Amino acid sequence: MTTETPTRTAIVTGAARGIGAGVAERLAADGMAVAVLDLEESACRKVVDRITAAGGRGLAVGVDVADEDAVAAAVEQIAIELGDPTVLVNNAGIIRDNLLFKMTVDDWDAVMSVHLRGSFLMTRTVQGYMTRTGWGRIVNLSSISALGNRGQANYAAAKAGVQGFTKTLAFELGRYGVTANAIAPGFVETEMTMATAERMGMPFDDFKAAVVRDIPVGRGGLPADIAHAVSFFVSEGAGYVSGQVLYVAGGPKA
């Protein structure tokens, strides 16, 4: 006799484009109802449209993940419209790259606010649904920049902080059936990396070629590569994997 797996409700932040959109669509294909979150609800609708066109359930929600009240209201809306959320992917992020001596306090604070405060607020709010259910999956997006990267003192510090946050969640929430893991992507072809190339004054193809030369598998990553890793971490069968940082970067990282 088999027990049918309940339909899970997932939340993916920063999901209007890029990695977040790829993750949201993959989790919907996996059979989850998915809340697609980003700053503007209108920007999320195209992702939800693709989810529903493929036969899934999606909900577009506009929210600033660094705003405590807005996060509380958004999660309550999701619970009412899609069901209690027990899968959370903290993907929302921004870059404000500059060398340390040129970096402003606003550049520092903005990156910390979205990556760390946002992940904290979302997780603190959603974990209540998970612990009451006795099942939950949290995946936080870090980066290979957590190992250090020129011109990214703020981003590198935030992404390293995400890893420490993840490991602490694993300790605190494991007894309630909740796992917490982090994924640290390497170079992934998204609008954000295209903007980086533009800021450096390089055609994207030239920028990509320069980066790919140092990637053992000989290609750049795609949002689908990250989504596949997320799909594993949030699966029913991954309940004995927690507190891990997986570098999805086309080769080994320290």
Side-chain angles (χ1 to χ4, degrees):
M1 180 177 176
T2 59
T3 302
E4 186 177 345
T5 301
T7 298
R8 306 292 187 187
T9 295
I11 296 174
V12 184
T13 69
R17 62 181 187 168
I19 289 173
V23 169
E25 292 179 59
R26 173 60 188 263
L27 297 188
D30 288 346
M32 297 183 186
V34 182
V36 179
L37 275 59
D38 217 298
L39 273 174
E40 300 295 332
E41 179 184 331
S42 58
C44 301
R45 288 187 189 132
K46 63 183 182 298
V47 180
V48 171
D49 288 345
R50 292 197 295 267
I51 287 172
T52 54
R57 292 179 64 211
L59 176 68
V61 181
V63 62
D64 177 356
V65 295
D67 183 324
E68 183 176 11
D69 292 338
V71 166
V75 174
E76 182 178 10
Q77 177 190 355
I78 293 161
I80 292 169
E81 297 193 33
L82 290 183
D84 289 357
T86 53
V87 173
L88 172 63
V89 182
N90 285 309
N91 170 73
I94 60 171
I95 53 173
R96 296 289 185 272
D97 294 352
N98 222 327
L99 294 174
L100 180 64
F101 77 97
K102 294 180 179 179
M103 188 172 290
T104 67
V105 171
D106 285 345
D107 289 339
W108 179 272
D109 288 347
V111 170
M112 294 297 164
S113 184
V114 176
H115 291 274
L116 290 178
R117 179 183 170 93
S119 294
F120 161 69
L121 289 174
M122 287 298 306
T123 305
R124 189 184 64 174
T125 304
V126 175
Q127 62 83 32
Y129 294 93
M130 297 178 177
T131 56
R132 285 192 294 274
T133 302
W135 192 97
R137 299 285 188 266
I138 299 165
V139 179
N140 298 318
L141 269 292
S142 180
S143 168
I144 59 168
S145 292
L147 302 172
N149 197 32
R150 179 179 172 87
Q152 289 194 315
N154 48 4
Y155 187 77
K159 289 307 194 181
V162 164
Q163 295 187 16
F165 177 61
T166 301
K167 291 177 182 290
T168 302
L169 295 176
F171 281 123
E172 292 189 7
L173 299 176
R175 69 184 62 189
Y176 303 104
V178 179
T179 67
N181 293 285
I183 293 173
F187 173 74
V188 179
E189 298 178 31
T190 66
E191 292 90 338
M192 185 178 286
T193 51
M194 291 176 185
T196 298
E198 184 177 355
R199 190 167 60 253
M200 294 173 65
M202 293 179 67
F204 183 67
D205 286 344
D206 294 346
F207 176 72
K208 182 172 72 171
V211 173
V212 166
R213 277 197 294 269
D214 294 325
I215 298 175
V217 300
R219 69 171 178 89
L222 300 172
D225 293 311
I226 311 306
H228 186 72
V230 173
S231 178
F232 164 70
F233 275 137
V234 305
S235 67
E236 300 289 333
Y240 200 54
V241 182
S242 195
Q244 303 304 302
V245 179
L246 177 63
Y247 285 84
V248 183
K253 297 294 173 181

